[in-house]
Amino acid sequence: MALKARVLYDFHSENPGEISISENELVTLFNEEELEGWLEGENSRGRLASSLPPMWRSSGTTSPPTGGSGGGSFHTSQGSDDDWDDDWDDGSPATDVPQGLGSTPPLYPVTSSLPGRRESTQQHQQQAKSSATVGRNLNRFSTFVKSGGEAFLLGEASAFVKDGDRICVVMGKHGPEWQDDPYPFTCTIDDPTKQTKFKGMKSYMSYGLTPTHTNVQVNRRYKHFDWLYARLVERFPVISVPHLPEKQATGRFEEDFISKRRKGLIWWMNHMISHPVLARCDVFQHFLTCGADEKAWKQGKRKAERDELVGANFFLTISTPSVPLDLQEVESKIEGFKTFTKRMDENSVVVNTTINEFARKQAAGFKKEYQKVGQSFKLLAQAFELDQQAYSVGLNKAIADTGEAYEAIGEYFAEQPRQDLDPISDLLDLYRGHLANFPDIIHVQKGALTKVKDCPKQEGELHDRCNIISCATLAEIQHFHRTRVRDFRTQMQHHLRQQIGFFQKITAKLEDTLQRYDDDQ
Amino acid sequence: MALKARVLYDFHSENPGEISISENELVTLFNEEELEGWLEGENSRGRLASSLPPMWRSSGTTSPPTGGSGGGSFHTSQGSDDDWDDDWDDGSPATDVPQGLGSTPPLYPVTSSLPGRRESTQQHQQQAKSSATVGRNLNRFSTFVKSGGEAFLLGEASAFVKDGDRICVVMGKHGPEWQDDPYPFTCTIDDPTKQTKFKGMKSYMSYGLTPTHTNVQVNRRYKHFDWLYARLVERFPVISVPHLPEKQATGRFEEDFISKRRKGLIWWMNHMISHPVLARCDVFQHFLTCGADEKAWKQGKRKAERDELVGANFFLTISTPSVPLDLQEVESKIEGFKTFTKRMDENSVVVNTTINEFARKQAAGFKKEYQKVGQSFKLLAQAFELDQQAYSVGLNKAIADTGEAYEAIGEYFAEQPRQDLDPISDLLDLYRGHLANFPDIIHVQKGALTKVKDCPKQEGELHDRCNIISCATLAEIQHFHRTRVRDFRTQMQHHLRQQIGFFQKITAKLEDTLQRYDDDQ
């Protein structure tokens, strides 16, 4: 069925396969499916099997189109809002694209093998899953729409922004940056304690958090972290909210899981407090500082859930440097970062696989080899012990000790990865969460940039708003790089120090063993 | 066919399955095959399917039986001397018994996978092969016979012994010992040089030997070592002559083989010069000191080959402590040593297999794992290098350096076994050669002991001669233990020092790498 559509504004073809169209021209669409933001159809100058730019006001947002702002409705026969989601469920490679920020039921079973899986934030499960294909989002406009980026760009955002909510992007040495948090703080997470309620019918783990700026401990459950995470994600469309350590249904009270989750939460907290915007936002502060007063907690909770400055309105809170960014430079930086994240993601997978395999080998093969050598030395000592002449005894004992030293070294190898490989693996997991966030962030910026480039008439306000999105995106990218360099430097140093300590421990063990050979000469 | 035989002296049964027989009694043998020194048959008091002790003068020696010395002939229908050897060639498990000291052609193909294989000393190949079954010699009397032990015991040895040929066994703290060599010396073996003769038609490797007591270098080929070895073996029936490193037909000029053989010859030389009897014997001294004078060399060679003090006559050269050894104590010591060698041999096989496998794992798996980690760190650095902001560059370089450090550590692991596992393996090979020698040595002593125990009448001279054999055997065992304790202590210390150095090298590499992370902070 051919569909007719009216063009909203002029578009000049720049590449083969595109056709130039004019405002108010009637065009025929071959079908209503959009591919990477393009539609197939022809115009009055004859059939051209080529693409039409998607110059319509999408129906994906709930607010009505504002006729005068350049973004009128392009009415195709497309159905309800939900249809937007259907595109991701057609079995094409696009199944790995994010589901946006809605709360539709998960389309895929929840797996626990990847970090940051949570039922309540299933869209991020998809993102994490997609992380190996960063940049392959075929529906970039949908994220653009769902994040509120489009609505903001088209001037539809409207809310009252208090001074306290204002977020400053400043021009730093390396480009736009989030203004530093003037009141930096840290926060410790204690070993969790097991709590019960309903007279012991239900038990849960409670984490004691002590932020340095209040120095008062508050107790939080994992579900509170989870709730907070969901608030932050809807609040900050172009900020990469660190993924929480994975939710796990069974074995929640097992020591290994508890220790792993605590380590994960410490990493998460570390990234929260070192992010100038996340660290000082109201909902996080409420989470960190609200005491045992149930009423106060509920009040803050309701306030956060009713926060108006989410989605499109978030962008209203951003102040930018006075000089707008150069569009081309922004585009090139974003492209560079896309390439960067893609490569980092791919190579992180290799590193993670390799070091996990290395850890496994140390716990299995390396340990086994050293222990087999140890056992064989002990066998030699046992044979030698059949000769109990005075001058033999010392050697027999020393060889047996050498055997034990090798067995111990085997144990050292098995235990070591926990100290120096697991932390790198944890860090890579955390970063793979960020890398999974960035395609959406980039798509918001790209959506804005594309719209601006397609509408040369719309300079002025549209450009200003695009600049705000670009500044926020670049500030977030800059923050990512700074944190990355800091974290990987620290972690690689930690790894090397641990390895040095490990080999020194082996050396000391062998030196001690060598002494035994002198004892009785 | 039933065989009749006349009993030479009384025997009283001590165990079920044995029958008592009297001197001059006629017995019927069920067959002429001897099993562990026993024959099956019956006597005049009816058929008893039991064993007869082998109380006959075997036909394995060439000198005629001396009627008055208690060891008359026991005539069965057995054939020529050669038949004695046939026992070892009947496909029974006894194929792993030594062939004695004769020079029959090799019964088995020469393999190169075990140490100390040589065509000219094929009986030792069998011994080495048998080393896993030390003590299972079913034909112990044959070695006793071939070594000359029996002839000596029966008073048939006769030769003129010069003072210089006299070998003293003294009573030490731990029992009989070879008297220390009053003029100890050492001997270096230089890197071999390739020599040619027949105008380059034939080439061979020549080893420069410099003994410290002359400080004059002599040049010897492997075949000279081989000739010397054969002389020593026939000269010293109860001394464990160290096996030479294996002969190899192909690849004789390849670096690895040359280096391995030189190491083997150094070990061999070390054992030769530290043996008080071997070190000072004429043929070895001739080998070490005779210069380029062809005539002098041939003269010494002929003299050695015509040496009368071989086999039975060797025992004439031995002086013992004045108080004879207690037979029971000797027997218990010998039994203990048999158990010892058996266990040491078995466990040496395990140690050797384990450390060779460990060496292989280090060269393959360990190296691969470290290199894979190194490569993955380099991949991470490559991803990070896509961000070339000033504050990233130092980290990128440091991570790449870490990758290289891990690759280097992989190489260290691959190279290390040559330093600290191969020497242990070489030592174990040398000792497995000794362990393969001892069953024959023990059988000589056991043969003597059995004969003495069976002939209570024969006290006096027979006992004295048995005491000489026992003293020599125990002195050799004592020497074995002393050398073993010395060698294994030294080698284990060397191994540990090398391992310590190895882990220190890794630590230094990692410390150096850690520095890179500070360079630009």
Side-chain angles (χ1 to χ4, degrees):
Chain A
M1 187 188 88
L3 295 161
K4 292 285 176 187
R6 188 169 300 279
V7 173
L8 288 172
Y9 39 75
D10 295 350
F11 172 76
H12 298 285
S13 73
E14 290 173 15
N15 299 303
E18 298 174 6
I19 56 174
S20 297
I21 45 178
S22 316
E23 198 175 324
N24 284 321
E25 186 180 340
L26 257 179
V27 294
T28 307
L29 303 181
F30 298 158
N31 67 58
E32 63 192 271
E33 273 182 56
E34 170 204 347
L35 186 69
E36 292 199 272
W38 296 82
L39 291 164
E40 270 198 314
E42 59 185 0
N43 66 2
S44 52
R45 275 151 292 170
R47 178 176 170 142
L48 290 163
S50 38
S51 300
L52 294 164
M55 290 298 177
W56 71 99
R57 172 64 180 82
S58 69
S59 61
T61 54
T62 48
S63 46
T66 53
S69 68
S73 288
F74 182 104
H75 295 286
T76 70
S77 68
Q78 79 189 29
S80 72
D81 293 358
D82 289 344
D83 286 352
W84 279 99
D85 293 333
D86 291 345
D87 282 349
W88 306 310
D89 197 21
D90 60 4
S92 74
T95 49
D96 56 8
V97 302
Q99 292 186 60
L101 304 164
S103 58
T104 47
L107 298 172
Y108 304 93
V110 176
T111 64
S112 60
S113 64
L114 285 166
R117 294 305 105 83
R118 276 162 313 288
E119 278 169 20
S120 64
T121 54
Q122 72 282 357
Q123 67 278 15
H124 289 273
Q125 294 159 25
Q126 300 310 326
Q127 288 168 21
K129 195 168 184 178
S130 79
S131 63
T133 55
V134 168
R136 277 184 53 219
N137 189 339
L138 300 178
N139 282 288
R140 59 176 178 246
F141 288 93
S142 49
T143 305
F144 178 45
V145 170
K146 297 203 171 192
S147 68
E150 187 186 56
F152 170 69
L153 194 74
L154 302 178
E156 293 158 13
S158 150
F160 174 69
V161 177
K162 299 192 309 292
D163 270 359
D165 289 324
R166 199 152 297 282
I167 296 165
C168 285
V169 174
V170 296
M171 188 50 70
K173 212 164 111 189
H174 308 282
E177 286 176 0
W178 299 119
Q179 190 169 46
D180 278 345
D181 184 355
Y183 308 110
F185 62 94
T186 59
C187 179
T188 58
I189 302 183
D190 288 350
D191 275 329
T193 52
K194 194 170 175 175
Q195 307 287 331
T196 52
K197 60 180 189 179
F198 304 137
K199 296 183 178 166
M201 290 289 282
K202 206 169 149 57
S203 39
Y204 58 91
M205 301 305 293
S206 176
Y207 297 85
L209 315 182
T210 313
T212 52
H213 60 330
T214 62
N215 214 20
V216 174
Q217 179 175 313
V218 297
N219 292 302
R220 296 288 176 257
R221 294 178 55 181
Y222 183 83
K223 72 169 190 179
H224 298 136
F225 284 89
D226 205 31
W227 170 83
L228 170 63
Y229 178 85
R231 297 291 75 68
L232 296 168
V233 164
E234 64 180 15
R235 177 69 167 79
F236 300 112
V238 293
I239 286 178
S240 176
V241 181
H243 289 199
L244 284 168
E246 63 179 308
K247 196 179 182 75
Q248 183 169 316
T250 57
R252 278 186 301 149
F253 304 119
E254 282 166 20
E255 211 170 302
D256 257 19
F257 172 71
I258 291 166
S259 147
K260 194 172 157 57
R261 172 175 279 179
R262 180 168 165 259
K263 277 197 299 174
L265 289 177
I266 290 170
W267 271 116
W268 180 87
M269 184 61 83
N270 174 298
H271 269 215
M272 284 298 295
I273 59 173
S274 63
H275 195 293
V277 178
L278 296 177
R280 45 180 271 238
C281 78
D282 285 349
V283 62
F284 184 47
Q285 286 299 328
H286 176 62
F287 172 87
L288 285 180
T289 58
C290 183
D293 179 352
E294 192 69 16
K295 203 176 150 195
W297 172 255
K298 287 221 166 128
Q299 210 165 22
K301 190 164 177 288
R302 254 198 310 276
K303 182 166 165 263
E305 282 161 359
R306 287 176 190 161
D307 190 351
E308 282 212 316
L309 299 175
V310 301
N313 289 346
F314 159 74
F315 295 104
L316 297 174
T317 65
I318 295 172
S319 307
T320 61
S322 50
V323 181
L325 302 173
D326 176 72
L327 276 193
Q328 287 233 286
E329 207 180 303
V330 171
E331 199 169 16
S332 139
K333 277 189 173 180
I334 296 283
E335 272 310 310
F337 187 65
K338 241 178 88 174
T339 310
F340 178 92
T341 52
K342 186 166 180 297
R343 184 75 73 85
M344 178 171 169
D345 191 69
E346 286 165 2
N347 293 6
S348 294
V349 174
V350 177
V351 178
N352 219 355
T353 307
T354 307
I355 64 177
N356 285 332
E357 180 64 14
F358 188 44
R360 205 185 61 72
K361 285 270 168 69
Q362 287 187 62
F366 281 52
K367 174 180 167 181
K368 204 179 73 190
E369 287 306 316
Y370 278 94
Q371 296 203 329
K372 270 164 61 186
V373 172
Q375 281 152 18
S376 82
F377 282 153
K378 281 165 94 174
L379 274 182
L380 190 65
Q382 278 165 28
F384 283 7
E385 277 158 18
L386 293 177
D387 175 45
Q388 279 290 335
Q389 296 182 87
Y391 65 80
S392 303
V393 175
L395 175 68
N396 303 346
K397 183 79 181 65
I399 295 178
D401 286 348
T402 308
E404 271 172 25
Y406 271 88
E407 288 182 332
I409 291 169
E411 282 299 336
Y412 295 172
F413 267 100
E415 287 160 10
Q416 189 54 24
R418 195 184 290 262
Q419 309 304 322
D420 58 23
L421 291 176
D422 288 2
I424 294 186
S425 186
D426 291 344
L427 184 67
L428 288 169
D429 282 347
L430 185 71
Y431 270 86
R432 291 191 67 211
H434 284 301
L435 293 173
N437 289 341
F438 271 104
D440 275 1
I441 294 170
I442 290 172
H443 292 143
V444 172
Q445 198 280 332
K446 283 222 158 190
L449 211 61
T450 306
K451 263 218 153 66
V452 167
K453 280 163 76 186
D454 288 346
C455 310
K457 288 184 189 170
Q458 308 293 328
E459 300 236 347
E461 276 189 27
L462 194 67
H463 270 248
D464 288 350
R465 288 193 288 263
C466 180
N467 188 56
I468 287 174
I469 295 179
S470 297
C471 280
T473 308
L474 289 185
E476 185 59 13
I477 289 173
Q478 189 60 237
H479 177 74
F480 172 85
H481 278 315
R482 286 225 179 257
T483 315
R484 173 184 61 81
V485 169
R486 176 199 70 182
D487 286 349
F488 279 87
R489 169 172 277 127
T490 307
Q491 210 47 57
M492 291 301 286
Q493 284 174 323
H494 170 81
H495 171 79
L496 287 170
R497 284 193 194 105
Q498 283 288 331
Q499 279 275 295
I500 289 165
F502 167 64
F503 286 115
Q504 282 170 340
K505 190 163 85 169
I506 294 178
T507 305
K509 185 83 190 166
L510 293 170
E511 277 168 343
D512 181 53
T513 307
L514 179 59
Q515 291 282 316
R516 314 291 172 94
Y517 287 84
D518 301 323
D519 283 356
D520 70 323
Q521 271 199 319
Chain B
M1 188 188 85
L3 294 161
K4 292 285 177 187
R6 187 170 301 278
V7 174
L8 288 171
Y9 39 77
D10 295 350
F11 172 77
H12 298 285
S13 72
E14 289 173 15
N15 299 303
E18 298 173 5
I19 55 174
S20 296
I21 45 176
S22 317
E23 199 175 325
N24 286 321
E25 185 180 341
L26 258 181
V27 294
T28 307
L29 302 182
F30 298 158
N31 67 58
E32 63 191 271
E33 272 181 57
E34 168 204 347
L35 185 69
E36 291 198 272
W38 295 82
L39 292 163
E40 270 198 314
E42 59 185 1
N43 66 3
S44 52
R45 275 150 292 172
R47 180 175 169 139
L48 291 163
S50 36
S51 301
L52 295 165
M55 290 299 179
W56 72 99
R57 173 68 180 80
S58 69
S59 59
T61 53
T62 48
S63 47
T66 54
S69 67
S73 289
F74 183 104
H75 296 284
T76 70
S77 68
Q78 78 189 26
S80 74
D81 294 357
D82 290 341
D83 287 353
W84 278 100
D85 293 334
D86 290 346
D87 282 348
W88 307 310
D89 197 19
D90 61 4
S92 75
T95 49
D96 57 7
V97 301
Q99 292 184 58
L101 303 164
S103 57
T104 47
L107 298 173
Y108 304 94
V110 176
T111 64
S112 61
S113 64
L114 286 166
R117 296 303 107 82
R118 275 161 316 287
E119 279 169 19
S120 65
T121 56
Q122 72 282 356
Q123 67 278 17
H124 289 272
Q125 294 158 27
Q126 300 309 326
Q127 288 169 19
K129 196 167 183 179
S130 81
S131 63
T133 53
V134 168
R136 278 185 51 221
N137 189 338
L138 300 178
N139 283 288
R140 60 178 179 243
F141 288 93
S142 50
T143 304
F144 177 44
V145 171
K146 297 202 170 192
S147 69
E150 187 185 56
F152 170 70
L153 195 75
L154 302 178
E156 293 159 13
S158 150
F160 175 70
V161 178
K162 299 192 309 292
D163 270 359
D165 289 324
R166 199 152 297 282
I167 297 165
C168 286
V169 175
V170 296
M171 188 51 69
K173 211 165 113 190
H174 308 281
E177 286 177 0
W178 299 119
Q179 190 169 45
D180 278 346
D181 184 355
Y183 309 110
F185 62 95
T186 59
C187 179
T188 58
I189 302 183
D190 289 349
D191 276 330
T193 52
K194 194 169 175 175
Q195 306 287 331
T196 54
K197 61 180 188 179
F198 305 136
K199 295 181 177 166
M201 291 290 283
K202 205 169 152 55
S203 38
Y204 58 91
M205 300 306 292
S206 176
Y207 298 85
L209 316 182
T210 313
T212 51
H213 60 329
T214 62
N215 214 20
V216 174
Q217 180 175 315
V218 297
N219 294 301
R220 296 287 176 257
R221 295 177 56 181
Y222 183 83
K223 72 169 190 179
H224 297 136
F225 285 89
D226 205 30
W227 170 84
L228 170 63
Y229 177 84
R231 296 291 77 68
L232 296 168
V233 165
E234 63 180 15
R235 178 70 167 81
F236 300 111
V238 293
I239 287 179
S240 175
V241 181
H243 289 198
L244 284 168
E246 63 180 308
K247 196 178 182 78
Q248 183 170 317
T250 58
R252 278 185 301 149
F253 305 119
E254 282 165 21
E255 211 171 301
D256 257 20
F257 171 71
I258 291 166
S259 146
K260 195 172 158 55
R261 172 174 279 178
R262 180 170 164 258
K263 278 197 298 174
L265 289 177
I266 289 170
W267 271 116
W268 180 86
M269 185 61 83
N270 174 297
H271 270 215
M272 284 297 296
I273 59 174
S274 62
H275 195 294
V277 178
L278 297 177
R280 46 180 270 239
C281 78
D282 285 349
V283 60
F284 184 48
Q285 287 299 327
H286 176 61
F287 173 87
L288 285 180
T289 57
C290 184
D293 178 351
E294 193 69 16
K295 204 177 148 194
W297 173 254
K298 286 218 166 130
Q299 209 164 21
K301 190 164 175 287
R302 253 196 312 274
K303 183 167 165 259
E305 284 161 358
R306 287 177 189 159
D307 191 350
E308 282 212 315
L309 299 175
V310 301
N313 290 346
F314 159 75
F315 296 103
L316 297 174
T317 65
I318 295 172
S319 308
T320 61
S322 51
V323 182
L325 303 173
D326 176 73
L327 275 195
Q328 286 233 286
E329 207 179 304
V330 171
E331 199 170 14
S332 137
K333 277 190 174 181
I334 297 282
E335 273 309 311
F337 187 65
K338 239 178 91 175
T339 311
F340 177 92
T341 51
K342 187 167 180 296
R343 184 75 72 85
M344 177 171 169
D345 190 68
E346 286 165 2
N347 293 7
S348 295
V349 173
V350 177
V351 178
N352 218 356
T353 307
T354 307
I355 64 176
N356 285 332
E357 180 63 14
F358 188 45
R360 206 185 60 74
K361 286 271 168 66
Q362 288 188 60
F366 281 51
K367 175 180 166 181
K368 204 179 72 191
E369 287 306 315
Y370 278 94
Q371 295 203 329
K372 270 163 63 186
V373 171
Q375 281 153 17
S376 82
F377 282 152
K378 281 166 95 174
L379 274 182
L380 189 66
Q382 278 165 29
F384 283 7
E385 276 159 19
L386 293 177
D387 175 44
Q388 279 290 334
Q389 295 181 87
Y391 65 79
S392 302
V393 174
L395 175 69
N396 303 346
K397 182 79 182 64
I399 295 178
D401 286 348
T402 309
E404 271 173 26
Y406 271 88
E407 289 183 332
I409 291 168
E411 283 298 336
Y412 295 172
F413 267 100
E415 287 160 10
Q416 189 54 24
R418 196 184 290 261
Q419 309 305 322
D420 57 24
L421 291 176
D422 288 2
I424 294 185
S425 186
D426 292 344
L427 185 67
L428 289 169
D429 282 346
L430 185 71
Y431 271 86
R432 291 192 67 212
H434 284 301
L435 293 173
N437 290 340
F438 271 104
D440 274 2
I441 294 170
I442 291 172
H443 293 144
V444 172
Q445 198 279 334
K446 284 221 157 189
L449 210 61
T450 307
K451 263 218 153 64
V452 167
K453 280 163 78 185
D454 288 346
C455 310
K457 290 183 188 173
Q458 307 293 328
E459 298 237 347
E461 276 188 27
L462 194 69
H463 269 250
D464 289 351
R465 287 193 288 263
C466 179
N467 188 55
I468 287 174
I469 295 178
S470 297
C471 281
T473 308
L474 290 184
E476 185 59 14
I477 289 173
Q478 189 60 237
H479 177 73
F480 171 85
H481 279 314
R482 285 227 180 254
T483 315
R484 173 183 61 81
V485 169
R486 177 200 69 181
D487 286 348
F488 279 87
R489 167 173 278 129
T490 306
Q491 210 47 56
M492 291 302 285
Q493 284 174 325
H494 170 81
H495 171 79
L496 287 170
R497 285 196 192 102
Q498 283 288 332
Q499 279 275 296
I500 288 165
F502 166 64
F503 286 115
Q504 281 170 340
K505 189 163 84 168
I506 294 178
T507 305
K509 185 83 190 168
L510 293 169
E511 277 168 344
D512 181 53
T513 308
L514 179 59
Q515 292 282 316
R516 314 292 172 93
Y517 287 84
D518 300 323
D519 283 356
D520 70 322
Q521 271 199 322

